[in-house]
Amino acid sequence: MALLKRSEVEPHEDYGFFGPGSVVWKVWSYPTSLTVGFQRSVVVEELDPPLVAAVHGTQGIYRRPRTRYDRTLRYFAMVAFAGSREVCRAADVLVKVHSKAVGRLPYGEGTYDANDPASQLWIQLTGWHSILYAYEKYGPGKLTAEEEREYWQACATAAEFQTCSPDDVPRDREGVRAYFERMRPRLSASPIARQAMTHLLRADLVLPPAPLWARPASLVVARALRIATVATMPRWMRELAGIRQSRALDVLIVPVMKASFALAHLSPRIELLLLARQSPSTVAVVAPMKLGIAPRREEVLTPAEARTRHGFTKPAEAHLDLRARQMTRVLDDGLAPSEQGLIESQDTLGPLA
């Protein structure tokens, strides 16, 4: 793929919810974020029984790993960098997509629902924590105390595009640690969780086929990303999930990744070229920020302002009828959920195939 030209980039409508100078742009624009940070988040998420049941029920990560990864990464990046209308639309259609991920837990009693606020809070905090962790470990290092406060406040802002409440988002590192300690007894490495985690650690599954001469290098990159991601996971979590890696690899991978990411970060166009191999649909989201292309309106909105301007409902209150119908189809009638929302999501989140 050729290097992207400025003239080929479509500017966003506005700066969305963060913008230049924000700690979100500082952290999320570093190449650690949409690589190790993102991979860590989707792997760790699978330890939550309701969430992994939803993932297993749809089978998306197995049937179409490349497009599923691409679409999820695009949504992550949109919340950080896209215009307010785009983010509101993506959050709205994601509620519809998640409405089909409902069913009965395969292990133990109870049901799962991908739109459940508790599951959405777990996704939100695991994602934002993983992005920051990767930045600290393989990037420039720790944020200042003021920047960290801003980061977790921004996490609460971003939570307004999930079905969870921003009031439940901790505002500092201690609060985040306390949340994960509360969650720890609820986490489980069931057979489907172990299967999903092992699968998602294989970066080679989401990279496009490489020509024969480039395959050894592609496998080395995938292996390095796996080692780097596992090195961010605490020992208890690895033992729970049956993931093994030596302490020597944990230590040796750090300077390798720090140097690699620092080198990639020297050129925004090289970063975009590498991103295009990993997630083609995310390039259009990130390119305006990377290339310094101002939006059509240079303003930052709050989620409430954006919903009022663009006519969207809070995700927690959106499409309640559809969500109820899906639950009835699956839990009461024993039918497969409808595909409503999934097809229309392609214009916003990227193609399904």
Side-chain angles (χ1 to χ4, degrees):
M1 185 177 183
L3 290 176
L4 194 65
K5 299 177 182 177
R6 287 177 62 90
S7 59
E8 298 172 335
V9 177
E10 181 72 21
H12 290 306
E13 185 174 346
D14 50 49
Y15 281 128
F17 306 97
F18 306 108
S22 68
V23 72
V24 171
W25 277 32
K26 175 180 178 177
V27 173
W28 284 63
S29 67
Y30 202 76
T32 52
S33 299
L34 301 183
T35 51
V36 175
F38 178 73
Q39 186 177 50
R40 182 189 192 277
S41 69
V42 296
V43 170
V44 172
E45 284 171 5
E46 308 306 323
L47 289 172
D48 179 52
L51 185 142
V52 76
V55 169
H56 187 78
T58 63
Q59 289 288 296
I61 65 171
Y62 304 112
R63 292 174 181 165
R64 45 183 181 85
R66 192 168 298 134
T67 55
R68 174 63 184 269
Y69 191 93
D70 185 33
R71 283 161 55 89
T72 306
L73 186 57
R74 176 180 169 88
Y75 178 77
F76 261 64
M78 287 179 76
V79 174
F81 304 118
S84 61
R85 188 192 305 271
E86 295 174 85
V87 178
C88 287
R89 185 182 295 115
D92 186 76
V93 77
L94 196 60
V95 173
K96 292 184 179 181
V97 173
H98 284 161
S99 74
K100 71 185 296 293
V102 294
R104 300 192 185 281
L105 291 173
Y107 299 96
E109 299 180 354
T111 61
Y112 65 86
D113 174 4
N115 277 315
D116 180 74
S119 285
Q120 291 287 299
L121 181 64
W122 170 249
I123 292 171
Q124 182 71 7
L125 289 178
T126 303
W128 280 66
H129 174 258
S130 294
I131 296 292
L132 181 56
Y133 196 150
Y135 178 87
E136 291 178 339
K137 190 175 183 72
Y138 302 120
K142 288 187 178 295
L143 302 178
T144 66
E146 183 179 350
E147 287 176 325
E148 194 167 313
R149 284 192 294 271
E150 181 188 337
Y151 185 84
W152 291 113
Q153 179 59 53
C155 179
T157 297
E160 295 203 40
F161 301 104
Q162 309 290 110
T163 58
C164 55
S165 170
D167 294 339
D168 294 332
V169 175
R171 297 305 199 275
D172 53 40
R173 189 180 295 261
E174 290 70 29
V176 174
R177 286 195 184 116
Y179 169 80
F180 285 119
E181 281 301 312
R182 291 195 302 272
M183 285 295 297
R184 186 168 171 177
R186 307 177 199 177
L187 303 181
S188 172
S190 63
I192 61 173
R194 290 188 173 208
Q195 178 189 17
M197 294 173 78
T198 300
H199 181 76
L200 290 167
L201 280 168
R202 290 188 58 190
D204 57 296
L205 293 175
V206 301
L207 296 174
L212 189 61
W213 62 267
R215 286 178 190 171
S218 183
L219 290 174
V220 168
V221 169
R223 177 63 177 169
L225 285 172
R226 185 189 192 282
I227 294 170
T229 298
V230 172
T232 66
M233 296 168 62
R235 287 283 161 183
W236 68 263
M237 189 178 289
R238 300 187 217 180
E239 291 171 3
L240 184 65
I243 296 171
R244 291 177 174 80
Q245 181 167 290
S246 71
R247 296 183 187 276
L249 278 179
D250 287 353
V251 173
L252 292 172
I253 196 64
V254 175
V256 173
M257 300 309 285
K258 283 180 76 74
S260 299
F261 287 130
L263 186 62
H265 196 52
L266 293 175
S267 169
R269 284 183 168 81
I270 293 298
E271 286 184 278
L272 291 171
L273 188 64
L274 295 173
L275 178 61
R277 283 191 55 77
Q278 176 190 7
S279 178
S281 72
T282 305
V283 173
V285 176
V286 175
M289 176 272 300
K290 280 292 177 187
L291 299 179
I293 297 173
R296 290 188 286 274
R297 285 200 302 269
E298 295 189 46
E299 60 179 339
V300 174
L301 280 69
T302 67
E305 289 170 340
R307 285 192 294 267
T308 299
R309 177 179 295 182
H310 305 308
F312 287 94
T313 304
K314 288 182 179 181
E317 301 167 2
H319 309 296
L320 297 178
D321 288 346
L322 171 62
R323 291 157 64 179
R325 290 198 303 273
Q326 295 280 48
M327 292 289 282
T328 299
R329 280 178 62 93
V330 174
L331 299 180
D332 296 341
D333 302 336
L335 302 173
S338 77
E339 297 293 315
Q340 186 174 349
L342 193 61
I343 302 302
E344 68 180 277
S345 72
Q346 294 183 94
D347 290 340
T348 302
L349 299 178
L352 292 170

PDB file of all heavy atoms in Angstrom, residues 12 15-18 28 71-91 281-282 285-286 348-350:
ATOM      1  N   HIS A  12     -12.372  15.352   9.403  1.00  0.00           N
ATOM      2  CA  HIS A  12     -13.543  15.086  10.229  1.00  0.00           C
ATOM      3  C   HIS A  12     -14.401  16.347  10.318  1.00  0.00           C
ATOM      4  O   HIS A  12     -13.953  17.459  10.014  1.00  0.00           O
ATOM      5  CB  HIS A  12     -13.117  14.641  11.634  1.00  0.00           C
ATOM      6  CG  HIS A  12     -12.487  13.289  11.675  1.00  0.00           C
ATOM      7  ND1 HIS A  12     -13.102  12.163  11.160  1.00  0.00           N
ATOM      8  CD2 HIS A  12     -11.286  12.867  12.162  1.00  0.00           C
ATOM      9  CE1 HIS A  12     -12.322  11.114  11.332  1.00  0.00           C
ATOM     10  NE2 HIS A  12     -11.209  11.505  11.933  1.00  0.00           N
ATOM     11  N   TYR A  15     -13.635  18.119  16.075  1.00  0.00           N
ATOM     12  CA  TYR A  15     -12.616  17.376  16.822  1.00  0.00           C
ATOM     13  C   TYR A  15     -13.212  16.280  17.701  1.00  0.00           C
ATOM     14  O   TYR A  15     -12.473  15.599  18.418  1.00  0.00           O
ATOM     15  CB  TYR A  15     -11.808  18.329  17.702  1.00  0.00           C
ATOM     16  CG  TYR A  15     -10.739  19.101  16.971  1.00  0.00           C
ATOM     17  CD1 TYR A  15     -10.651  20.488  17.078  1.00  0.00           C
ATOM     18  CD2 TYR A  15      -9.783  18.446  16.187  1.00  0.00           C
ATOM     19  CE1 TYR A  15      -9.658  21.202  16.417  1.00  0.00           C
ATOM     20  CE2 TYR A  15      -8.792  19.151  15.523  1.00  0.00           C
ATOM     21  CZ  TYR A  15      -8.735  20.526  15.636  1.00  0.00           C
ATOM     22  OH  TYR A  15      -7.740  21.219  14.989  1.00  0.00           O
ATOM     23  N   GLY A  16     -14.508  16.108  17.678  1.00  0.00           N
ATOM     24  CA  GLY A  16     -15.103  15.093  18.537  1.00  0.00           C
ATOM     25  C   GLY A  16     -15.119  15.538  19.980  1.00  0.00           C
ATOM     26  O   GLY A  16     -15.566  16.648  20.294  1.00  0.00           O
ATOM     27  N   PHE A  17     -14.575  14.710  20.875  1.00  0.00           N
ATOM     28  CA  PHE A  17     -14.743  14.940  22.314  1.00  0.00           C
ATOM     29  C   PHE A  17     -13.438  15.192  23.065  1.00  0.00           C
ATOM     30  O   PHE A  17     -13.447  15.379  24.270  1.00  0.00           O
ATOM     31  CB  PHE A  17     -15.503  13.761  22.914  1.00  0.00           C
ATOM     32  CG  PHE A  17     -16.788  13.516  22.181  1.00  0.00           C
ATOM     33  CD1 PHE A  17     -16.865  12.548  21.184  1.00  0.00           C
ATOM     34  CD2 PHE A  17     -17.892  14.302  22.427  1.00  0.00           C
ATOM     35  CE1 PHE A  17     -18.044  12.363  20.471  1.00  0.00           C
ATOM     36  CE2 PHE A  17     -19.066  14.131  21.716  1.00  0.00           C
ATOM     37  CZ  PHE A  17     -19.140  13.160  20.724  1.00  0.00           C
ATOM     38  N   PHE A  18     -12.304  15.211  22.330  1.00  0.00           N
ATOM     39  CA  PHE A  18     -11.015  15.420  22.996  1.00  0.00           C
ATOM     40  C   PHE A  18     -10.177  16.453  22.248  1.00  0.00           C
ATOM     41  O   PHE A  18     -10.094  17.588  22.652  1.00  0.00           O
ATOM     42  CB  PHE A  18     -10.305  14.081  23.165  1.00  0.00           C
ATOM     43  CG  PHE A  18     -11.162  13.058  23.867  1.00  0.00           C
ATOM     44  CD1 PHE A  18     -11.702  11.975  23.169  1.00  0.00           C
ATOM     45  CD2 PHE A  18     -11.485  13.207  25.208  1.00  0.00           C
ATOM     46  CE1 PHE A  18     -12.529  11.049  23.811  1.00  0.00           C
ATOM     47  CE2 PHE A  18     -12.312  12.295  25.852  1.00  0.00           C
ATOM     48  CZ  PHE A  18     -12.828  11.218  25.150  1.00  0.00           C
ATOM     49  N   TRP A  28      -3.330   7.900  23.045  1.00  0.00           N
ATOM     50  CA  TRP A  28      -3.924   7.027  22.038  1.00  0.00           C
ATOM     51  C   TRP A  28      -3.263   7.168  20.669  1.00  0.00           C
ATOM     52  O   TRP A  28      -3.402   6.277  19.828  1.00  0.00           O
ATOM     53  CB  TRP A  28      -5.428   7.284  21.932  1.00  0.00           C
ATOM     54  CG  TRP A  28      -6.214   6.699  23.057  1.00  0.00           C
ATOM     55  CD1 TRP A  28      -6.128   7.023  24.376  1.00  0.00           C
ATOM     56  CD2 TRP A  28      -7.199   5.675  22.970  1.00  0.00           C
ATOM     57  NE1 TRP A  28      -7.004   6.271  25.118  1.00  0.00           N
ATOM     58  CE2 TRP A  28      -7.677   5.437  24.282  1.00  0.00           C
ATOM     59  CE3 TRP A  28      -7.741   4.940  21.907  1.00  0.00           C
ATOM     60  CZ2 TRP A  28      -8.666   4.481  24.558  1.00  0.00           C
ATOM     61  CZ3 TRP A  28      -8.729   4.003  22.181  1.00  0.00           C
ATOM     62  CH2 TRP A  28      -9.181   3.779  23.491  1.00  0.00           C
ATOM     63  N   ARG A  71     -13.071  -3.973  12.635  1.00  0.00           N
ATOM     64  CA  ARG A  71     -14.240  -3.186  13.036  1.00  0.00           C
ATOM     65  C   ARG A  71     -14.144  -2.735  14.495  1.00  0.00           C
ATOM     66  O   ARG A  71     -14.508  -1.607  14.835  1.00  0.00           O
ATOM     67  CB  ARG A  71     -15.514  -4.014  12.822  1.00  0.00           C
ATOM     68  CG  ARG A  71     -15.961  -4.111  11.377  1.00  0.00           C
ATOM     69  CD  ARG A  71     -16.905  -5.273  11.138  1.00  0.00           C
ATOM     70  NE  ARG A  71     -18.069  -5.254  12.010  1.00  0.00           N
ATOM     71  CZ  ARG A  71     -19.228  -4.634  11.728  1.00  0.00           C
ATOM     72  NH1 ARG A  71     -19.343  -3.968  10.576  1.00  0.00           N
ATOM     73  NH2 ARG A  71     -20.242  -4.686  12.559  1.00  0.00           N
ATOM     74  N   THR A  72     -13.671  -3.622  15.359  1.00  0.00           N
ATOM     75  CA  THR A  72     -13.559  -3.269  16.776  1.00  0.00           C
ATOM     76  C   THR A  72     -12.496  -2.198  16.984  1.00  0.00           C
ATOM     77  O   THR A  72     -12.709  -1.236  17.736  1.00  0.00           O
ATOM     78  CB  THR A  72     -13.222  -4.520  17.609  1.00  0.00           C
ATOM     79  OG1 THR A  72     -14.187  -5.545  17.347  1.00  0.00           O
ATOM     80  CG2 THR A  72     -13.230  -4.199  19.092  1.00  0.00           C
ATOM     81  N   LEU A  73     -11.361  -2.354  16.311  1.00  0.00           N
ATOM     82  CA  LEU A  73     -10.305  -1.352  16.432  1.00  0.00           C
ATOM     83  C   LEU A  73     -10.766  -0.010  15.879  1.00  0.00           C
ATOM     84  O   LEU A  73     -10.453   1.053  16.445  1.00  0.00           O
ATOM     85  CB  LEU A  73      -9.051  -1.828  15.704  1.00  0.00           C
ATOM     86  CG  LEU A  73      -7.798  -0.960  15.848  1.00  0.00           C
ATOM     87  CD1 LEU A  73      -7.432  -0.782  17.317  1.00  0.00           C
ATOM     88  CD2 LEU A  73      -6.632  -1.576  15.096  1.00  0.00           C
ATOM     89  N   ARG A  74     -11.509  -0.045  14.802  1.00  0.00           N
ATOM     90  CA  ARG A  74     -12.038   1.202  14.223  1.00  0.00           C
ATOM     91  C   ARG A  74     -12.918   1.924  15.238  1.00  0.00           C
ATOM     92  O   ARG A  74     -12.822   3.144  15.400  1.00  0.00           O
ATOM     93  CB  ARG A  74     -12.830   0.895  12.953  1.00  0.00           C
ATOM     94  CG  ARG A  74     -13.512   2.128  12.328  1.00  0.00           C
ATOM     95  CD  ARG A  74     -14.266   1.750  11.070  1.00  0.00           C
ATOM     96  NE  ARG A  74     -15.124   2.821  10.612  1.00  0.00           N
ATOM     97  CZ  ARG A  74     -14.737   3.805   9.783  1.00  0.00           C
ATOM     98  NH1 ARG A  74     -13.502   3.830   9.333  1.00  0.00           N
ATOM     99  NH2 ARG A  74     -15.599   4.741   9.405  1.00  0.00           N
ATOM    100  N   TYR A  75     -13.771   1.176  15.933  1.00  0.00           N
ATOM    101  CA  TYR A  75     -14.646   1.831  16.916  1.00  0.00           C
ATOM    102  C   TYR A  75     -13.823   2.437  18.052  1.00  0.00           C
ATOM    103  O   TYR A  75     -14.088   3.565  18.481  1.00  0.00           O
ATOM    104  CB  TYR A  75     -15.676   0.842  17.482  1.00  0.00           C
ATOM    105  CG  TYR A  75     -16.556   1.497  18.521  1.00  0.00           C
ATOM    106  CD1 TYR A  75     -17.586   2.344  18.122  1.00  0.00           C
ATOM    107  CD2 TYR A  75     -16.340   1.323  19.886  1.00  0.00           C
ATOM    108  CE1 TYR A  75     -18.373   2.992  19.064  1.00  0.00           C
ATOM    109  CE2 TYR A  75     -17.120   1.966  20.820  1.00  0.00           C
ATOM    110  CZ  TYR A  75     -18.140   2.792  20.401  1.00  0.00           C
ATOM    111  OH  TYR A  75     -18.912   3.451  21.328  1.00  0.00           O
ATOM    112  N   PHE A  76     -12.848   1.698  18.564  1.00  0.00           N
ATOM    113  CA  PHE A  76     -11.955   2.221  19.602  1.00  0.00           C
ATOM    114  C   PHE A  76     -11.374   3.560  19.164  1.00  0.00           C
ATOM    115  O   PHE A  76     -11.374   4.544  19.907  1.00  0.00           O
ATOM    116  CB  PHE A  76     -10.803   1.235  19.842  1.00  0.00           C
ATOM    117  CG  PHE A  76     -10.970   0.340  21.034  1.00  0.00           C
ATOM    118  CD1 PHE A  76     -11.990  -0.591  21.102  1.00  0.00           C
ATOM    119  CD2 PHE A  76     -10.077   0.412  22.087  1.00  0.00           C
ATOM    120  CE1 PHE A  76     -12.131  -1.430  22.186  1.00  0.00           C
ATOM    121  CE2 PHE A  76     -10.206  -0.427  23.192  1.00  0.00           C
ATOM    122  CZ  PHE A  76     -11.238  -1.351  23.241  1.00  0.00           C
ATOM    123  N   ALA A  77     -10.825   3.587  17.946  1.00  0.00           N
ATOM    124  CA  ALA A  77     -10.170   4.787  17.437  1.00  0.00           C
ATOM    125  C   ALA A  77     -11.163   5.916  17.194  1.00  0.00           C
ATOM    126  O   ALA A  77     -10.839   7.093  17.399  1.00  0.00           O
ATOM    127  CB  ALA A  77      -9.420   4.454  16.150  1.00  0.00           C
ATOM    128  N   MET A  78     -12.372   5.591  16.768  1.00  0.00           N
ATOM    129  CA  MET A  78     -13.372   6.619  16.504  1.00  0.00           C
ATOM    130  C   MET A  78     -13.689   7.431  17.752  1.00  0.00           C
ATOM    131  O   MET A  78     -13.785   8.660  17.702  1.00  0.00           O
ATOM    132  CB  MET A  78     -14.655   5.991  15.953  1.00  0.00           C
ATOM    133  CG  MET A  78     -14.545   5.510  14.524  1.00  0.00           C
ATOM    134  SD  MET A  78     -16.074   4.759  13.926  1.00  0.00           S
ATOM    135  CE  MET A  78     -17.065   6.219  13.653  1.00  0.00           C
ATOM    136  N   VAL A  79     -13.868   6.758  18.865  1.00  0.00           N
ATOM    137  CA  VAL A  79     -14.205   7.466  20.097  1.00  0.00           C
ATOM    138  C   VAL A  79     -13.111   8.472  20.450  1.00  0.00           C
ATOM    139  O   VAL A  79     -13.396   9.573  20.932  1.00  0.00           O
ATOM    140  CB  VAL A  79     -14.425   6.473  21.254  1.00  0.00           C
ATOM    141  CG1 VAL A  79     -14.626   7.214  22.569  1.00  0.00           C
ATOM    142  CG2 VAL A  79     -15.643   5.583  20.960  1.00  0.00           C
ATOM    143  N   ALA A  80     -11.856   8.132  20.181  1.00  0.00           N
ATOM    144  CA  ALA A  80     -10.742   9.018  20.519  1.00  0.00           C
ATOM    145  C   ALA A  80     -10.535  10.131  19.501  1.00  0.00           C
ATOM    146  O   ALA A  80     -10.208  11.260  19.881  1.00  0.00           O
ATOM    147  CB  ALA A  80      -9.458   8.201  20.657  1.00  0.00           C
ATOM    148  N   PHE A  81     -10.752   9.843  18.198  1.00  0.00           N
ATOM    149  CA  PHE A  81     -10.292  10.776  17.166  1.00  0.00           C
ATOM    150  C   PHE A  81     -11.352  11.265  16.181  1.00  0.00           C
ATOM    151  O   PHE A  81     -11.118  12.273  15.505  1.00  0.00           O
ATOM    152  CB  PHE A  81      -9.167  10.120  16.346  1.00  0.00           C
ATOM    153  CG  PHE A  81      -8.013   9.642  17.163  1.00  0.00           C
ATOM    154  CD1 PHE A  81      -7.674   8.295  17.193  1.00  0.00           C
ATOM    155  CD2 PHE A  81      -7.249  10.519  17.917  1.00  0.00           C
ATOM    156  CE1 PHE A  81      -6.605   7.841  17.937  1.00  0.00           C
ATOM    157  CE2 PHE A  81      -6.177  10.077  18.668  1.00  0.00           C
ATOM    158  CZ  PHE A  81      -5.845   8.741  18.683  1.00  0.00           C
ATOM    159  N   ALA A  82     -12.469  10.585  16.048  1.00  0.00           N
ATOM    160  CA  ALA A  82     -13.428  10.929  14.996  1.00  0.00           C
ATOM    161  C   ALA A  82     -14.302  12.115  15.401  1.00  0.00           C
ATOM    162  O   ALA A  82     -14.321  12.549  16.557  1.00  0.00           O
ATOM    163  CB  ALA A  82     -14.294   9.718  14.655  1.00  0.00           C
ATOM    164  N   GLY A  83     -15.057  12.618  14.423  1.00  0.00           N
ATOM    165  CA  GLY A  83     -15.986  13.705  14.678  1.00  0.00           C
ATOM    166  C   GLY A  83     -17.163  13.257  15.520  1.00  0.00           C
ATOM    167  O   GLY A  83     -17.480  12.059  15.592  1.00  0.00           O
ATOM    168  N   SER A  84     -17.824  14.211  16.153  1.00  0.00           N
ATOM    169  CA  SER A  84     -18.887  13.882  17.108  1.00  0.00           C
ATOM    170  C   SER A  84     -20.052  13.139  16.470  1.00  0.00           C
ATOM    171  O   SER A  84     -20.616  12.224  17.067  1.00  0.00           O
ATOM    172  CB  SER A  84     -19.382  15.162  17.788  1.00  0.00           C
ATOM    173  OG  SER A  84     -19.919  16.070  16.835  1.00  0.00           O
ATOM    174  N   ARG A  85     -20.433  13.513  15.245  1.00  0.00           N
ATOM    175  CA  ARG A  85     -21.559  12.841  14.582  1.00  0.00           C
ATOM    176  C   ARG A  85     -21.216  11.378  14.304  1.00  0.00           C
ATOM    177  O   ARG A  85     -22.041  10.480  14.521  1.00  0.00           O
ATOM    178  CB  ARG A  85     -21.910  13.548  13.281  1.00  0.00           C
ATOM    179  CG  ARG A  85     -23.210  13.022  12.624  1.00  0.00           C
ATOM    180  CD  ARG A  85     -23.348  13.548  11.203  1.00  0.00           C
ATOM    181  NE  ARG A  85     -23.276  14.994  11.140  1.00  0.00           N
ATOM    182  CZ  ARG A  85     -24.332  15.806  11.256  1.00  0.00           C
ATOM    183  NH1 ARG A  85     -25.528  15.294  11.439  1.00  0.00           N
ATOM    184  NH2 ARG A  85     -24.167  17.112  11.162  1.00  0.00           N
ATOM    185  N   GLU A  86     -19.992  11.142  13.829  1.00  0.00           N
ATOM    186  CA  GLU A  86     -19.551   9.780  13.539  1.00  0.00           C
ATOM    187  C   GLU A  86     -19.582   8.910  14.796  1.00  0.00           C
ATOM    188  O   GLU A  86     -20.006   7.753  14.757  1.00  0.00           O
ATOM    189  CB  GLU A  86     -18.131   9.794  12.984  1.00  0.00           C
ATOM    190  CG  GLU A  86     -17.943  10.477  11.646  1.00  0.00           C
ATOM    191  CD  GLU A  86     -16.481  10.553  11.280  1.00  0.00           C
ATOM    192  OE1 GLU A  86     -15.958   9.574  10.716  1.00  0.00           O
ATOM    193  OE2 GLU A  86     -15.842  11.583  11.579  1.00  0.00           O
ATOM    194  N   VAL A  87     -19.107   9.462  15.911  1.00  0.00           N
ATOM    195  CA  VAL A  87     -19.054   8.686  17.150  1.00  0.00           C
ATOM    196  C   VAL A  87     -20.460   8.376  17.645  1.00  0.00           C
ATOM    197  O   VAL A  87     -20.750   7.239  18.053  1.00  0.00           O
ATOM    198  CB  VAL A  87     -18.255   9.435  18.235  1.00  0.00           C
ATOM    199  CG1 VAL A  87     -18.250   8.637  19.539  1.00  0.00           C
ATOM    200  CG2 VAL A  87     -16.821   9.673  17.771  1.00  0.00           C
ATOM    201  N   CYS A  88     -21.335   9.370  17.606  1.00  0.00           N
ATOM    202  CA  CYS A  88     -22.719   9.142  18.047  1.00  0.00           C
ATOM    203  C   CYS A  88     -23.398   8.077  17.197  1.00  0.00           C
ATOM    204  O   CYS A  88     -24.103   7.209  17.712  1.00  0.00           O
ATOM    205  CB  CYS A  88     -23.516  10.448  17.978  1.00  0.00           C
ATOM    206  SG  CYS A  88     -23.107  11.654  19.251  1.00  0.00           S
ATOM    207  N   ARG A  89     -23.166   8.132  15.894  1.00  0.00           N
ATOM    208  CA  ARG A  89     -23.769   7.144  14.996  1.00  0.00           C
ATOM    209  C   ARG A  89     -23.205   5.755  15.268  1.00  0.00           C
ATOM    210  O   ARG A  89     -23.940   4.755  15.300  1.00  0.00           O
ATOM    211  CB  ARG A  89     -23.526   7.543  13.549  1.00  0.00           C
ATOM    212  CG  ARG A  89     -24.226   6.612  12.536  1.00  0.00           C
ATOM    213  CD  ARG A  89     -23.922   7.009  11.097  1.00  0.00           C
ATOM    214  NE  ARG A  89     -24.466   8.316  10.781  1.00  0.00           N
ATOM    215  CZ  ARG A  89     -23.732   9.387  10.482  1.00  0.00           C
ATOM    216  NH1 ARG A  89     -22.407   9.289  10.452  1.00  0.00           N
ATOM    217  NH2 ARG A  89     -24.310  10.528  10.194  1.00  0.00           N
ATOM    218  N   ALA A  90     -21.897   5.663  15.474  1.00  0.00           N
ATOM    219  CA  ALA A  90     -21.267   4.369  15.744  1.00  0.00           C
ATOM    220  C   ALA A  90     -21.770   3.774  17.055  1.00  0.00           C
ATOM    221  O   ALA A  90     -22.049   2.575  17.140  1.00  0.00           O
ATOM    222  CB  ALA A  90     -19.746   4.529  15.781  1.00  0.00           C
ATOM    223  N   ALA A  91     -21.879   4.605  18.086  1.00  0.00           N
ATOM    224  CA  ALA A  91     -22.375   4.120  19.376  1.00  0.00           C
ATOM    225  C   ALA A  91     -23.812   3.637  19.262  1.00  0.00           C
ATOM    226  O   ALA A  91     -24.191   2.624  19.868  1.00  0.00           O
ATOM    227  CB  ALA A  91     -22.269   5.232  20.417  1.00  0.00           C
ATOM    228  N   SER A 281      -9.704  -0.171   7.805  1.00  0.00           N
ATOM    229  CA  SER A 281     -10.789   0.793   7.963  1.00  0.00           C
ATOM    230  C   SER A 281     -10.505   1.834   9.035  1.00  0.00           C
ATOM    231  O   SER A 281     -11.196   2.853   9.121  1.00  0.00           O
ATOM    232  CB  SER A 281     -12.104   0.065   8.280  1.00  0.00           C
ATOM    233  OG  SER A 281     -12.098  -0.448   9.596  1.00  0.00           O
ATOM    234  N   THR A 282      -9.480   1.608   9.862  1.00  0.00           N
ATOM    235  CA  THR A 282      -9.157   2.562  10.921  1.00  0.00           C
ATOM    236  C   THR A 282      -8.304   3.720  10.400  1.00  0.00           C
ATOM    237  O   THR A 282      -8.232   4.782  11.025  1.00  0.00           O
ATOM    238  CB  THR A 282      -8.429   1.843  12.078  1.00  0.00           C
ATOM    239  OG1 THR A 282      -9.247   0.756  12.521  1.00  0.00           O
ATOM    240  CG2 THR A 282      -8.176   2.757  13.253  1.00  0.00           C
ATOM    241  N   VAL A 285      -9.957   7.073  10.067  1.00  0.00           N
ATOM    242  CA  VAL A 285     -10.278   7.669  11.365  1.00  0.00           C
ATOM    243  C   VAL A 285      -9.071   8.394  11.936  1.00  0.00           C
ATOM    244  O   VAL A 285      -9.185   9.508  12.461  1.00  0.00           O
ATOM    245  CB  VAL A 285     -10.761   6.585  12.351  1.00  0.00           C
ATOM    246  CG1 VAL A 285     -11.008   7.192  13.732  1.00  0.00           C
ATOM    247  CG2 VAL A 285     -12.012   5.896  11.834  1.00  0.00           C
ATOM    248  N   VAL A 286      -7.907   7.778  11.817  1.00  0.00           N
ATOM    249  CA  VAL A 286      -6.694   8.267  12.468  1.00  0.00           C
ATOM    250  C   VAL A 286      -5.920   9.269  11.609  1.00  0.00           C
ATOM    251  O   VAL A 286      -5.250  10.167  12.132  1.00  0.00           O
ATOM    252  CB  VAL A 286      -5.794   7.073  12.844  1.00  0.00           C
ATOM    253  CG1 VAL A 286      -4.459   7.527  13.413  1.00  0.00           C
ATOM    254  CG2 VAL A 286      -6.508   6.162  13.840  1.00  0.00           C
ATOM    255  N   THR A 348     -20.721   2.279   8.962  1.00  0.00           N
ATOM    256  CA  THR A 348     -20.119   3.012  10.079  1.00  0.00           C
ATOM    257  C   THR A 348     -18.876   2.324  10.628  1.00  0.00           C
ATOM    258  O   THR A 348     -17.864   2.967  10.917  1.00  0.00           O
ATOM    259  CB  THR A 348     -21.153   3.195  11.212  1.00  0.00           C
ATOM    260  OG1 THR A 348     -22.293   3.883  10.688  1.00  0.00           O
ATOM    261  CG2 THR A 348     -20.565   4.003  12.361  1.00  0.00           C
ATOM    262  N   LEU A 349     -18.958   1.001  10.810  1.00  0.00           N
ATOM    263  CA  LEU A 349     -17.888   0.262  11.475  1.00  0.00           C
ATOM    264  C   LEU A 349     -16.992  -0.513  10.517  1.00  0.00           C
ATOM    265  O   LEU A 349     -15.996  -1.095  10.958  1.00  0.00           O
ATOM    266  CB  LEU A 349     -18.498  -0.708  12.494  1.00  0.00           C
ATOM    267  CG  LEU A 349     -19.313  -0.065  13.608  1.00  0.00           C
ATOM    268  CD1 LEU A 349     -19.895  -1.141  14.527  1.00  0.00           C
ATOM    269  CD2 LEU A 349     -18.477   0.926  14.409  1.00  0.00           C
ATOM    270  N   GLY A 350     -17.332  -0.519   9.242  1.00  0.00           N
ATOM    271  CA  GLY A 350     -16.515  -1.241   8.293  1.00  0.00           C
ATOM    272  C   GLY A 350     -17.189  -2.515   7.822  1.00  0.00           C
ATOM    273  O   GLY A 350     -18.152  -2.993   8.427  1.00  0.00           O
TER     274      GLY A 350
END
